[in-house]
Amino acid sequence: MTTIQTKFDSLNPATDEVVGSHPIHSAEEVQAAVDRARTAAVWWADLGFSGRAERLQRWKGVLTRRAAQLAGVVHAETGKPHADAMLEIILAIDHTAWAAKHARKVLGPHRRSSGLLMANQASTVEYQPLGVVGVIGPWNYPVFTPMGSIAYAMAAGNAVVFKPSEYTPGVGRWLADSFAEVVPEHPVFQVVTGYGETGAALCRSGVAKIAFTGSPGTGKKIMAACAETLTPVLIEAGGKDALIVDADADLDLAADGAVWGGFSNAGQTCTGIERVYVHEQVYDAFVAKVVEKAKTVRPGFDADANIGPITMPSQLDIIRRHIADAVSRGGRALVGGEVGDRYVQPTVLVDVPEDSPAVREETFGPTMTIAKVRDMDEAIAKANDTTYGLGGSVFSKKRGMELARRLRSGMVAVNSVISFAGVPSLPFGGSGDSGFGRIHGPEGLREFGKPKAITRQRFRAPLTLTSFARGPKVDAQVAKLITLLHGKRR
């Protein structure tokens, strides 16, 4: 007789030690959680902006005071250094505070011009809560990334049902439990755990929206499942971000940015630097500086390690394939090139053909390709020659903003890397295979509300358009008015 698995273990990727055991929630259990959330959502929305902000600020305080404890869970489930875990928690706290503080200003009633024809109307628009939002989170930044949806959705007045990655369920559980301490009355924030089937059940549960972060392949499956119930989706599906180095760039700054952007979190960053295009005048000097810095980045699980293991074991095969293919086609690994059973040495590849998987596909490991270009026009053309469109970086003293605007991506950092993710007021998201929709900033808050347009008649108009009492005289006057307003030849 086949035994149905009802629990699964979360493992430390560095040691295979069992970190915790979690339930595999069935479709029925997911539906029950969503049903509970619907009632909670009404209560939460009725608290208003100020009531919700007060609770979210209290939660922010809990996260801040217990950050080291949460970082320990992140460290155990992902293997990333404790300091990196603290960094993503700090950013999540800052974003939560911003969302709580600015929700009313962004989503509350705003007056709109009614125009001349409807001058007797007072026009407003406001964003009302969607109801219940489903969030499906990733394992690489298990606090910061999903909180960009969770905190913003709750600030907008929604209840949330969160399905964390099966690699980091303990982080999701910790977040939900800590929130319940400051909001014990109703299950405003719940967690369901399990594998892909649990996520699919959340998509089909009748939530008002799904916010997903993961691979493009899984994103397509999410969209297909949500299409069955016309559930809207917000998708952030990775990237193949490029860094561009102009001839006048500060090379020390650019090299440091490239190494951190490419190798931090063992390269497991959707906005990480995977491709670098350098002006031929400074190419050799830049490469030398990158190689020197890359040699000092050490993987490991001890307190002094700079990066941790590859969290998802199957990713090792992808990284190995990309490096092997690049080398077989004439590329050279100036640093690294070694892929172990858990760790990958930071790898700097040069002379890699542009049609190689290492250049075309998301590697999601501590590797980067560096290519020489004649000028910035070639750099922009090659950087934009990708199906992804998430982030990017430009290093240039004079042309930074110009080049940033020419990159086909949702975000760009000038003379830094990934800094846009740390600014709560900026929208985060991309296009193409990187997905659509935005988290963070005013745009992120609006993703979790539905716009409501309201007109209120202030006085009776001399020309009443919305009445059967309107006669030929009124029609003639309106036609004359429209001609005066819009009929002039330019």
Side-chain angles (χ1 to χ4, degrees), residues 86-106:
M86 283 295 294
L87 177 59
E88 71 162 293
I89 293 167
I90 289 168
L91 291 176
I93 291 169
D94 197 36
H95 277 264
T96 300
W98 189 93
K101 181 179 180 181
H102 291 86
R104 181 194 297 273
K105 180 180 179 181
V106 173

Side-chain angles (χ1 to χ4, degrees), residues 29-41 132 159 186-188 190-192:
E29 290 170 318
V30 171
Q31 188 63 62
V34 172
D35 292 343
R36 290 192 297 270
R38 287 199 179 95
T39 301
V132 181
H186 294 275
V188 174
Q190 299 175 77
V191 162
V192 293

Side-chain angles (χ1 to χ4, degrees), residues 140-381:
N140 58 329
Y141 290 93
V143 176
F144 175 65
T145 299
M147 283 291 282
S149 296
I150 294 167
Y152 285 70
M154 290 198 294
N158 303 286
V160 171
V161 178
F162 175 39
K163 193 276 178 189
S165 166
E166 59 267 33
Y167 292 98
T168 53
V171 176
R173 182 76 270 157
W174 194 100
L175 291 172
D177 288 346
S178 64
F179 182 82
E181 293 180 20
V182 299
V183 184
E185 296 94 332
H186 294 275
V188 174
F189 177 27
Q190 299 175 77
V191 162
V192 293
T193 53
Y195 299 106
E197 294 82 0
T198 302
L202 183 58
C203 293
R204 297 185 175 101
S205 65
V207 293
K209 192 167 192 174
I210 287 286
F212 165 78
T213 302
S215 69
T218 304
K220 292 175 182 178
K221 294 178 181 177
I222 294 290
M223 289 183 67
C226 288
E228 298 174 12
T229 51
L230 288 179
T231 300
V233 294
L234 185 163
I235 290 181
E236 193 265 279
K240 191 69 177 177
D241 289 5
L243 181 149
I244 292 176
V245 183
D246 203 353
D248 68 342
D250 181 326
L251 296 187
D252 287 320
L253 189 66
D256 187 68
V259 170
W260 191 85
F263 303 146
S264 62
N265 201 34
Q268 300 166 117
T269 303
C270 56
T271 53
I273 301 302
E274 296 202 6
R275 302 175 293 146
V276 184
Y277 297 103
V278 189
H279 197 291
E280 60 184 7
Q281 293 179 13
V282 295
Y283 175 81
D284 291 336
F286 174 81
V287 170
K289 291 179 181 292
V290 168
V291 168
E292 181 182 4
K293 291 178 179 293
K295 288 179 178 178
T296 67
V297 180
R298 184 177 66 82
F301 192 64
D302 57 279
D304 296 324
N306 302 112
I307 60 175
I310 301 303
T311 304
M312 189 167 68
S314 61
Q315 197 66 29
L316 288 163
D317 291 334
I318 296 173
I319 300 169
R320 190 177 291 112
R321 174 172 61 85
H322 285 192
I323 295 174
D325 176 85
V327 172
S328 70
R329 299 177 64 181
R332 294 179 293 134
L334 302 183
V335 179
E338 300 174 4
V339 180
D341 294 333
R342 301 180 190 274
Y343 299 94
V344 177
Q345 291 290 334
T347 300
V348 177
L349 296 164
V350 297
D351 302 330
V352 181
E354 285 292 302
D355 62 349
S356 301
V359 177
R360 306 297 301 175
E361 302 173 10
E362 186 176 34
T363 306
F364 224 60
T367 73
M368 73 170 66
T369 61
I370 306 179
K372 183 190 300 184
V373 294
R374 295 183 307 275
D375 52 34
M376 290 298 97
D377 288 340
E378 182 183 0
I380 291 291

